[in-house]
Amino acid sequence: MEQSAQQAQQLDHLASAPSPGGSPFAAFGMPGLGGPPPAAPPEPRPILELDGEEREDELDALSDWVDDFLLPVYGAEVTTAAPWCLQWQEHDDVVAWLHALWLAYQQHKDPEAGLSGLFVWHRDFLTHAIAAIRAPGGPLSACMTSPERPAHRLLPGPPPSARTEKATASAAEAAGPPEPDESTS
């Protein structure tokens, strides 16, 4: 009888609603059901969307990673087939590629990425990004192709589309002619 009473008591306890203060799964490192979700980490923003000091700080951190880790390990030789630029920070497309590569590196080196995290980073991110950045016809193709001849040149991009040109012209017409004392430069 006594054993039966204890089992009934355990069943009642298990059937009751969980206490609102804690998670029944906390001991297993799992979030509670119906409780507030864990705070999400801040979402990374592409570096080209940052402005001012925030962009400068991010570019400084990216430059440290590129100069101290990426280039010494994966830089390879500078040739016409794999150009480089000592002023890569002035090439917005290169900055965008390297920043995305750095964010992916941070994610994949995290212990939560598992034992294969860095392999995935090499396979899915590093190889493709470096090939695009250092391609013979890529964004650095007008820059240094030999360490003995350092060079830097920003290649001009394509002109605006016809739609953008038309919208700009329409906006200028709508604004009317400039006032006589306004400069037209």
Side-chain angles (χ1 to χ4, degrees):
M1 271 317 242
E2 188 177 313
Q3 192 176 21
S4 199
Q6 284 177 341
Q7 287 176 345
Q9 208 173 21
Q10 283 180 334
L11 286 173
D12 286 343
H13 175 71
L14 292 172
S16 66
S19 63
S23 165
F25 305 107
F28 303 106
M30 298 172 63
L33 299 174
E43 289 191 31
R45 290 179 45 209
I47 195 168
L48 298 182
E49 291 180 5
L50 303 177
D51 291 319
E53 191 173 323
E54 188 179 20
R55 182 173 177 157
E56 284 303 313
D57 291 345
E58 192 76 358
L59 189 56
D60 286 344
L62 174 62
S63 296
D64 290 344
W65 180 76
V66 169
D67 293 340
D68 298 340
F69 173 73
L70 187 69
L71 290 179
V73 176
Y74 303 103
E77 184 179 6
V78 175
T79 66
T80 54
W84 185 246
C85 184
L86 298 175
Q87 298 174 44
W88 61 265
Q89 297 94 339
E90 296 180 22
H91 297 264
D92 281 344
D93 47 354
V94 174
V95 169
W97 271 102
L98 290 173
H99 189 251
L101 184 63
W102 180 47
L103 292 177
Y105 174 77
Q106 291 176 65
Q107 177 184 357
H108 285 83
K109 76 175 184 141
D110 189 278
E112 288 184 14
L115 296 175
S116 62
L118 285 174
F119 176 80
V120 172
W121 178 76
H122 281 87
R123 182 194 67 200
D124 294 349
F125 300 94
L126 175 70
T127 305
H128 182 70
I130 294 298
I133 292 167
R134 298 190 67 189
L140 301 178
S141 61
C143 294
M144 182 171 61
T145 57
S146 169
E148 288 81 38
R149 293 186 313 274
H152 167 70
R153 192 173 116 221
L154 295 174
L155 297 173
S161 68
R163 180 179 174 89
T164 302
E165 289 285 321
K166 187 176 178 181
T168 303
S170 296
E173 282 179 22
E179 295 296 321
D181 55 91
E182 287 184 20
S183 68
T184 56
S185 54

Short mmCIF file of all heavy atoms in Angstrom, two decimals, residues 7-8 12 31 41 60 84 92 119 126 138 142 146 177 179 183-184:
data_model
loop_
_atom_site.label_atom_id
_atom_site.label_comp_id
_atom_site.label_asym_id
_atom_site.label_seq_id
_atom_site.Cartn_x
_atom_site.Cartn_y
_atom_site.Cartn_z
N GLN A 7 3.92 5.98 -5.52
CA GLN A 7 3.79 6.05 -6.98
C GLN A 7 2.72 7.06 -7.38
O GLN A 7 2.88 7.81 -8.33
CB GLN A 7 3.49 4.67 -7.55
CG GLN A 7 4.68 3.74 -7.51
CD GLN A 7 4.33 2.34 -8.00
OE1 GLN A 7 3.16 1.97 -8.11
NE2 GLN A 7 5.37 1.55 -8.27
N ALA A 8 1.61 7.06 -6.66
CA ALA A 8 0.54 8.02 -6.95
C ALA A 8 1.03 9.44 -6.73
O ALA A 8 0.72 10.35 -7.52
CB ALA A 8 -0.67 7.71 -6.08
N ASP A 12 1.30 12.37 -9.59
CA ASP A 12 0.69 13.69 -9.41
C ASP A 12 1.71 14.80 -9.65
O ASP A 12 1.43 15.80 -10.31
CB ASP A 12 0.09 13.84 -8.01
CG ASP A 12 -1.20 13.05 -7.85
OD1 ASP A 12 -1.79 12.66 -8.88
OD2 ASP A 12 -1.59 12.82 -6.69
N PRO A 31 16.81 25.01 -23.40
CA PRO A 31 15.89 26.06 -22.98
C PRO A 31 14.57 25.45 -22.51
O PRO A 31 14.21 24.34 -22.89
CB PRO A 31 15.69 26.90 -24.24
CG PRO A 31 16.00 25.97 -25.36
CD PRO A 31 17.04 25.01 -24.83
N PRO A 41 22.25 36.57 -30.30
CA PRO A 41 23.43 37.41 -30.47
C PRO A 41 23.13 38.50 -31.49
O PRO A 41 22.23 38.35 -32.32
CB PRO A 41 24.49 36.43 -30.99
CG PRO A 41 23.72 35.31 -31.58
CD PRO A 41 22.43 35.24 -30.82
N ASP A 60 39.53 48.13 -39.07
CA ASP A 60 40.78 47.89 -38.33
C ASP A 60 40.87 46.44 -37.87
O ASP A 60 41.92 45.81 -38.00
CB ASP A 60 40.86 48.82 -37.11
CG ASP A 60 41.18 50.26 -37.47
OD1 ASP A 60 41.63 50.50 -38.61
OD2 ASP A 60 40.97 51.14 -36.62
N TRP A 84 47.74 40.95 -55.85
CA TRP A 84 47.38 41.44 -54.52
C TRP A 84 47.55 42.94 -54.51
O TRP A 84 48.15 43.51 -55.42
CB TRP A 84 48.24 40.79 -53.43
CG TRP A 84 47.78 41.19 -52.06
CD1 TRP A 84 48.47 41.94 -51.16
CD2 TRP A 84 46.54 40.87 -51.44
NE1 TRP A 84 47.72 42.11 -50.03
CE2 TRP A 84 46.53 41.47 -50.17
CE3 TRP A 84 45.42 40.15 -51.84
CZ2 TRP A 84 45.45 41.37 -49.29
CZ3 TRP A 84 44.35 40.04 -50.97
CH2 TRP A 84 44.38 40.65 -49.71
N ASP A 92 36.43 48.50 -52.40
CA ASP A 92 35.22 48.14 -51.65
C ASP A 92 34.80 46.69 -51.88
O ASP A 92 34.36 46.02 -50.95
CB ASP A 92 34.06 49.07 -52.01
CG ASP A 92 34.15 50.41 -51.30
OD1 ASP A 92 34.92 50.52 -50.32
OD2 ASP A 92 33.44 51.35 -51.74
N PHE A 119 36.83 22.82 -41.47
CA PHE A 119 36.88 22.18 -42.79
C PHE A 119 35.81 22.79 -43.70
O PHE A 119 36.07 23.10 -44.87
CB PHE A 119 36.67 20.67 -42.68
CG PHE A 119 36.62 20.02 -44.04
CD1 PHE A 119 37.78 19.75 -44.74
CD2 PHE A 119 35.40 19.73 -44.64
CE1 PHE A 119 37.72 19.19 -46.01
CE2 PHE A 119 35.34 19.17 -45.90
CZ PHE A 119 36.51 18.90 -46.59
N LEU A 126 36.67 29.87 -47.93
CA LEU A 126 38.02 30.34 -48.21
C LEU A 126 38.40 30.18 -49.68
O LEU A 126 38.80 31.14 -50.33
CB LEU A 126 39.04 29.60 -47.33
CG LEU A 126 40.50 29.94 -47.62
CD1 LEU A 126 40.81 31.37 -47.19
CD2 LEU A 126 41.42 28.95 -46.96
N GLY A 138 40.24 39.79 -61.82
CA GLY A 138 39.43 40.20 -60.68
C GLY A 138 39.68 41.64 -60.24
O GLY A 138 40.34 42.42 -60.94
N ALA A 142 44.57 45.13 -61.63
CA ALA A 142 45.35 46.30 -62.05
C ALA A 142 46.36 46.70 -60.99
O ALA A 142 47.04 47.70 -61.13
CB ALA A 142 44.41 47.47 -62.34
N SER A 146 53.66 41.62 -58.95
CA SER A 146 55.01 41.19 -58.57
C SER A 146 55.42 42.01 -57.34
O SER A 146 55.24 43.23 -57.34
CB SER A 146 55.99 41.46 -59.72
OG SER A 146 57.33 41.29 -59.26
N PRO A 177 15.50 74.96 -62.72
CA PRO A 177 16.83 75.52 -62.90
C PRO A 177 17.37 76.05 -61.57
O PRO A 177 16.59 76.47 -60.72
CB PRO A 177 16.62 76.64 -63.91
CG PRO A 177 15.18 77.01 -63.79
CD PRO A 177 14.46 75.75 -63.36
N GLU A 179 18.94 78.57 -58.84
CA GLU A 179 18.80 79.99 -58.59
C GLU A 179 20.10 80.68 -59.02
O GLU A 179 21.16 80.08 -58.98
CB GLU A 179 18.53 80.22 -57.10
CG GLU A 179 17.20 79.67 -56.61
CD GLU A 179 16.02 80.35 -57.27
OE1 GLU A 179 16.06 81.60 -57.47
OE2 GLU A 179 15.03 79.67 -57.59
N SER A 183 25.56 77.82 -56.74
CA SER A 183 26.64 77.32 -57.60
C SER A 183 26.14 76.10 -58.36
O SER A 183 25.31 75.36 -57.88
CB SER A 183 27.89 76.97 -56.79
OG SER A 183 27.61 75.85 -56.01
N THR A 184 26.64 75.90 -59.55
CA THR A 184 26.20 74.78 -60.39
C THR A 184 27.27 73.71 -60.46
O THR A 184 27.26 72.90 -61.36
CB THR A 184 25.85 75.27 -61.81
OG1 THR A 184 26.99 75.94 -62.33
CG2 THR A 184 24.64 76.17 -61.77
#
